[in-house]
Amino acid sequence: GCLPVEYASHMSKGAFGIVWKATAKQICEFRHVPVAVKQCAGENVTDRDRNDFLAEANLMKRCVTQA
């Protein structure tokens, strides 16, 4: 599911997305955890870009759940 996230500032912009500095709230026993949030957005985003973005997110999700 989704976690409550408080966006702080824009960190960088890439070919098909934006990376934000943020704070995730209520992750396991931790109350506030600094995170980077990658957002797939822009007028030049293709279906392949979206699929690559989702594949990367799924890979990171598997890494976290196996840690």
Side-chain angles (χ1 to χ4, degrees):
C2 294
L3 297 170
V5 175
E6 181 178 305
Y7 290 86
S9 62
H10 163 255
M11 289 175 56
S12 67
K13 185 173 182 178
F16 58 84
I18 300 169
V19 179
W20 297 88
K21 180 179 179 180
T23 301
K25 300 179 180 180
Q26 303 168 349
I27 295 180
C28 299
E29 68 273 7
F30 304 105
R31 296 196 49 97
H32 294 86
V33 178
V35 295
V37 176
K38 190 173 185 180
Q39 178 185 20
C40 184
E43 57 190 51
N44 298 325
V45 177
T46 65
D47 286 340
R48 182 175 178 166
D49 292 335
R50 285 186 189 87
N51 290 336
D52 289 348
F53 178 85
L54 291 174
E56 180 182 334
N58 283 323
L59 176 63
M60 289 187 286
K61 182 179 176 180
R62 285 197 311 264
C63 292
V64 169
T65 57
Q66 293 176 4

